[in-house]
Amino acid sequence: MQDLIKHLVKDVMPPRLFRLLKPSNEPTDAWGSARWGLHGSLVLPGNRRFEYRPCVADRGVCKQIFFLRSYATDTLWRAKEIAAFYEACENPLIIDAGANIGASAVWYALTYPKAKVVAIEPDISNFALLKRNAASFPQITPLNAAIAAKHGTLYLNDPGGGEWAFRTAEQPVDQGYAVDALTLEDVIPPGVTPFILKIDIEGAESDLFSRHSEVLNTFPLVVIELHDWMLPGESNSRNFLQWHVEMKRDFVQMGENAISISNSIALS
């Protein structure tokens, strides 16, 4: 009955008034929180600014990452192990494949301040914003490239899904243009310990996991958005799922992201 009353009140109460009266008990990050600023920016701790374009895609990315905390792992059963692994590392490495305008890279830099973050983004316009947003975070290294199974050249095509949906392919379509394709081995700097591999590359995960790479399994956490929903009939997630099963890792679905947690690398 109480739940019914609660839903009825929510349905009839003006949304703005409901938000004001609703207790704010959402978790926040250890570094604090972001807030919406003016003229297409977020205000971060230390009065740092995070810029985004005045479009639905960019604002949606900011909301997902900074406010809905889509990459936070503190709700996982193995959260303490993950935190312990990070604390034990002198030079933890986070690879952000498909960094877009830099929201995920900046969130990772704030959340794991001693980690080196390599942020990889193939689109020129997205990369320009990524580079500006990363400027006040010396631990972030932006790379204008695509992550792939083999080194070479790919083409970036726009299927019409906006700034967060550019896709790489072996051949250009319409106004597609060439981009460098780098492997994981190419982008991992010396003297680091792999920690998190975040992948959101609009279906190119099928290519990335098509080649057996020892490096993939050195990351205790692989956080990936799969795109079968966007590419029906292609079994796009098959290569990732086969790799995950072969490596005998834990699989957890959290929102849009699948999280693959290593069981062969000690996290404590």
Side-chain angles (χ1 to χ4, degrees):
M1 179 61 73
Q2 286 182 343
D3 287 342
L4 177 60
I5 293 172
K6 192 183 299 183
H7 284 294
L8 287 172
V9 171
K10 182 178 179 180
D11 288 341
V12 299
M13 185 179 292
R16 183 173 295 179
L17 180 59
F18 180 79
R19 286 196 297 269
L20 287 173
L21 295 177
K22 182 183 178 183
S24 180
N25 55 4
E26 285 96 6
T28 57
D29 293 299
W31 49 264
S33 60
R35 60 183 174 84
W36 297 108
L38 300 175
H39 309 299
S41 69
L42 293 177
V43 181
L44 302 174
N47 206 33
R48 287 175 288 196
R49 300 278 167 165
F50 183 91
E51 297 179 43
Y52 62 90
R53 294 163 295 208
C55 63
V56 172
D58 281 15
R59 193 173 173 89
V61 166
C62 291
K63 181 179 179 181
Q64 281 185 356
I65 293 170
F66 288 108
F67 297 96
L68 300 180
R69 306 175 70 242
S70 58
Y71 291 111
T73 58
D74 51 4
T75 59
L76 296 174
W77 277 86
R78 299 182 68 180
K80 290 183 179 179
E81 294 175 79
I82 295 166
F85 183 93
Y86 167 72
E87 292 298 334
C89 289
E90 280 191 37
N91 298 297
L93 172 68
I94 298 172
I95 298 288
D96 184 353
N100 195 256
I101 62 173
S104 48
V106 167
W107 184 88
Y108 276 129
L110 288 166
T111 304
Y112 302 105
K114 69 174 180 176
K116 181 173 182 59
V117 181
V118 178
I120 307 161
E121 171 55 41
D123 176 64
I124 295 172
S125 59
N126 286 342
F127 182 76
L129 261 181
L130 161 62
K131 199 171 179 180
R132 286 210 298 272
N133 286 324
S136 58
F137 296 89
Q139 66 268 52
I140 299 177
T141 301
L143 293 178
N144 187 200
I147 199 76
K150 60 183 180 180
H151 189 100
T153 300
L154 291 172
Y155 294 89
L156 193 67
N157 299 319
D158 180 6
E163 290 81 356
W164 58 0
F166 294 114
R167 295 176 56 197
T168 53
E170 293 185 356
Q171 298 295 328
V173 176
D174 295 331
Q175 298 181 7
Y177 57 90
V179 296
D180 290 334
L182 303 177
T183 67
L184 275 177
E185 291 87 344
D186 292 329
V187 302
I188 294 179
V192 295
T193 301
F195 175 40
I196 296 174
L197 172 59
K198 170 256 172 182
I199 304 168
D200 186 0
I201 51 179
E202 306 305 318
E205 60 268 20
S206 178
D207 167 72
L208 180 61
F209 286 90
S210 66
R211 175 178 69 92
H212 178 78
S213 170
E214 299 286 345
V215 173
L216 284 167
N217 200 38
T218 63
F219 286 86
L221 264 73
V222 175
V223 183
I224 183 170
E225 181 176 344
L226 300 172
H227 292 88
D228 284 352
W229 62 270
M230 189 176 74
L231 301 164
E234 296 186 18
S235 300
N236 190 261
S237 63
R238 178 179 57 189
N239 290 338
F240 163 74
L241 293 172
Q242 286 179 340
W243 168 83
H244 170 85
V245 171
E246 288 171 6
M247 296 300 107
K248 299 179 181 179
R249 299 167 66 102
D250 280 352
F251 184 94
V252 180
Q253 187 70 35
M254 192 169 69
E256 292 183 345
N257 298 315
I259 303 179
S260 175
I261 309 175
S262 174
N263 289 317
S264 60
I265 299 175
L267 293 180
S268 59

